[in-house]
Amino acid sequence: MTGLDFNHLLSLLPALQSGMAMTARITLIAIVVGILWGTLLAVARLSPVRAIAWLATSYVNLFRSVPLVMVILWFFLIVPQLVHALFGNAVEDIRFTSALVAFSLFEAAYYSEIMRAGILSVPRGQFDAGLALGFTRRQTLRLIILPQAFRNMLPLLLTQAIILFQDTSLVYVIGLSDFFGTSYKLGDRDGLLVEMLLMAGAVYFLISFLASQLVARLHKKRIR
Amino acid sequence: MISIRNVSKYYGDFKVLSQCSAEVNKGEVVVVCGPSGSGKSTLIKCVNALEPFQEGDIVVAGVSLHDSKTDLTHLRARVGMVFQHFELFPQMTVLDNLCLAQVKVLQRSRAEAEEKGMRLLDRVGLRDHALKYPGQISGGQQQRVAISRALCMDPICMLFDEPTSALDPEMINEVLDVMVELAKEGMTMMCVTHEMGFARRVADRVIFMDQGQIVEDRPSADFFSAPQSERAVQFLSRLLSR
Ligand SMILES: Nc1ncnc2c1ncn2[C@@H]1O[C@H](COP(=O)(O)OP(=O)(O)O)[C@@H](O)[C@H]1O
Ligand SMILES: [Mg+2]
């Protein structure tokens, strides 16, 4: 493996950078939307209204029972047809949008499990105390319960975010140029596939490892 | 002020409260006692509509809880409640605990809320702890903050559910002192407590509960000098022999 020298790698840097930017964009947006939608789902699952709880539970079970790569493909294949059927016009490049939607909806199922555990970790008395002060149920959830649930679950939420970061590499199935996809294409083009994939793996490893070290440290600080 | 009328409550087949009736008049202090599991917490939570009940009615300040037109949220904002485990919000400072509902529920300005909060903290001797978090102060101090938090809402009456039973013995009095002072100022109070010294000093009446029933409801002097039911006699002797 002598083909990938430092100077060559340097020349690939701009392309790799924009690949990493794509990875970061998908990761961050999916984290934010996934947590928000997941939190809503968690609240819905704990709703006293049976129908709402059932719908939310079904959603979560559905998304947790299918492989992520299929969800990505489905959204890529179905959404344009749907748009076409609905509006009748040709659809431009929706790879990025469909990936965002797929990741957000998929991750929300996992985040909702975490947030549900978080909500249940807050003592019932806190809810009573909120109501007793004159807050509505919704205010009590938003102002008192969810902040505590979020805090209690922060290590798990971050761990899930690291998994999400790695999973974004699956967008290669719809030909999106994220960091992994870019590395693959450049390696293929220059006949340095093995070297580039090793390099990409090392970068994913380094980022994930450092992030999980950070989470572990945060967790330890919390427990003390 | 509080009128409990033939209230029964079930958990499935289990009857937690059985035809309970009692009155707490304006300015009165009523102590509720009885063995653990007798339904005291359930009863007091029903008064604040934190627990639903199936039969009977409770009327607070002229408002019926079973009337579907009653705004329960609004009613709860006017009734103060203090819990066994304090239930301060751990993610906020003491002062924020006192201000949050004033601002969000009563629409007071932040400055107004803080001023009121500091005044009430001062009263319970905790002005210096305003910017600490609940986890940084003792249990007795937390409970005094919790009482102040309820008082910030200018409640028409106060409910206490065993406010001292989670406290170390040396901290019980600092909380009871605040409650005694409150009683002397004329606050209407319904207190679930086993602190019989407190009951003797300030309670107008004592309600004794057992197995979901109100067994006795009498002026406190009478209750202590001559409890009528066998169960109350047993309960008192067990309390005293501890
Ligand atoms: N959510 C619940 N579901 C079923 N039973 C309950 C529930 N809450 C309380 N109980 C039962 O109701 C009875 C009265 O409880 P509680 O009002 O807490 O008694 P106390 O405050 O006098 O100790 C107890 O036997 C308790 O086990
Ligand atoms: Mg109790």
Side-chain angles (χ1 to χ4, degrees), chain B:
Chain B
M1 177 69 75
I2 301 170
S3 178
I4 301 167
R5 301 172 184 167
N6 265 312
V7 167
S8 296
K9 175 178 172 67
Y10 301 82
Y11 281 121
D13 284 341
F14 176 58
K15 199 167 189 180
V16 212
L17 296 177
S18 178
Q19 273 96 47
C20 293
S21 291
E23 295 279 333
V24 181
N25 296 313
K26 193 167 191 310
E28 255 186 341
V29 177
V30 172
V31 159
V32 181
C33 62
S36 151
S38 57
K40 308 178 298 292
S41 300
T42 307
L43 181 69
I44 207 159
K45 280 186 184 175
C46 283
V47 171
N48 212 1
L50 291 176
E51 287 282 353
F53 49 92
Q54 286 80 25
E55 291 162 21
D57 197 5
I58 297 179
V59 178
V60 179
V63 181
S64 154
L65 298 195
H66 261 185
D67 185 343
S68 57
K69 287 196 287 294
T70 298
D71 181 353
L72 294 178
T73 302
H74 179 70
L75 184 75
R76 289 193 201 101
R78 300 167 66 207
V79 175
M81 185 148 188
V82 175
F83 300 86
Q84 183 172 1
H85 296 289
F86 332 131
E87 306 301 349
L88 295 180
F89 307 135
Q91 75 274 30
M92 304 172 201
T93 62
V94 163
L95 188 60
D96 285 338
N97 263 276
L98 268 62
C99 291
L100 188 67
Q102 292 190 69
V103 172
K104 301 273 179 188
V105 177
L106 300 180
Q107 323 294 337
R108 287 182 184 152
S109 72
R110 176 78 199 178
E112 202 182 346
E114 278 188 12
E115 206 235 276
K116 174 123 194 157
M118 289 308 285
R119 197 144 28 93
L120 282 161
L121 278 181
D122 217 8
R123 212 182 114 154
V124 296
L126 294 173
R127 171 175 270 277
D128 296 340
H129 300 279
L131 297 181
K132 289 189 181 163
Y133 286 86
Q136 298 172 312
I137 59 180
S138 75
Q141 290 170 330
Q142 287 186 58
Q143 194 60 299
R144 283 186 280 156
V145 171
I147 295 173
S148 310
R149 182 175 70 178
L151 292 175
C152 279
M153 305 295 285
D154 296 318
I156 52 176
C157 60
M158 289 280 288
L159 309 173
F160 293 83
D161 188 4
E162 304 210 35
T164 58
S165 56
L167 294 176
D168 294 335
E170 70 271 18
M171 293 176 187
I172 290 178
N173 278 328
E174 63 189 69
V175 171
L176 287 181
D177 287 346
V178 173
M179 290 169 63
V180 168
E181 200 184 314
L182 207 55
K184 289 193 171 145
E185 284 169 16
M187 176 63 78
T188 309
M189 293 163 65
M190 188 168 170
C191 314
V192 176
T193 179
H194 290 157
E195 293 298 329
M196 290 303 137
F198 170 80
R200 270 180 217 274
R201 265 170 81 193
V202 297
D204 297 293
R205 277 184 300 121
V206 174
I207 290 175
F208 174 73
M209 289 185 72
D210 193 21
Q211 296 177 2
Q213 288 175 319
I214 293 185
V215 181
E216 293 201 34
D217 177 357
R218 301 170 54 223
S220 46
D222 297 0
F223 179 77
F224 290 114
S225 59
Q228 278 173 338
S229 62
E230 184 65 27
R231 289 187 273 186
V233 174
Q234 277 178 11
F235 174 76
L236 280 175
S237 71
R238 235 179 301 129
L239 259 194
L240 292 176
S241 66
R242 265 204 317 214

Side-chain angles (χ1 to χ4, degrees), chain A residues 56-67 71 74 106 109:
Chain A
T57 306
S58 307
Y59 176 99
V60 171
N61 287 340
L62 177 70
F63 274 95
R64 280 163 51 96
S65 313
V66 288
V71 177
W74 281 340
F106 184 86

Side-chain angles (χ1 to χ4, degrees), chain A residues 47-141:
Chain A
S47 161
V49 184
R50 286 256 180 88
I52 294 178
W54 183 85
L55 276 176
T57 306
S58 307
Y59 176 99
V60 171
N61 287 340
L62 177 70
F63 274 95
R64 280 163 51 96
S65 313
V66 288
L68 173 55
V69 68
M70 288 174 97
V71 177
I72 297 171
L73 267 175
W74 281 340
F75 274 93
F76 175 60
L77 296 173
I78 293 168
V79 174
Q81 287 187 9
L82 214 67
V83 173
H84 187 70
L86 284 177
F87 304 106
N89 51 352
V91 181
E92 67 270 33
D93 186 3
I94 59 126
R95 285 177 302 174
F96 181 62
T97 319
S98 75
L100 278 186
V101 173
F103 272 102
S104 300
L105 296 186
F106 184 86
E107 290 300 321
Y110 287 85
Y111 280 121
S112 102
E113 285 289 279
I114 298 173
M115 285 309 287
R116 193 170 85 105
I119 291 170
L120 292 175
S121 77
V122 180
R124 160 81 204 263
Q126 290 279 306
F127 200 82
D128 284 343
L131 291 182
L133 280 168
F135 293 117
T136 60
R137 297 177 67 86
R138 193 174 297 187
Q139 280 179 315
T140 306
L141 262 175

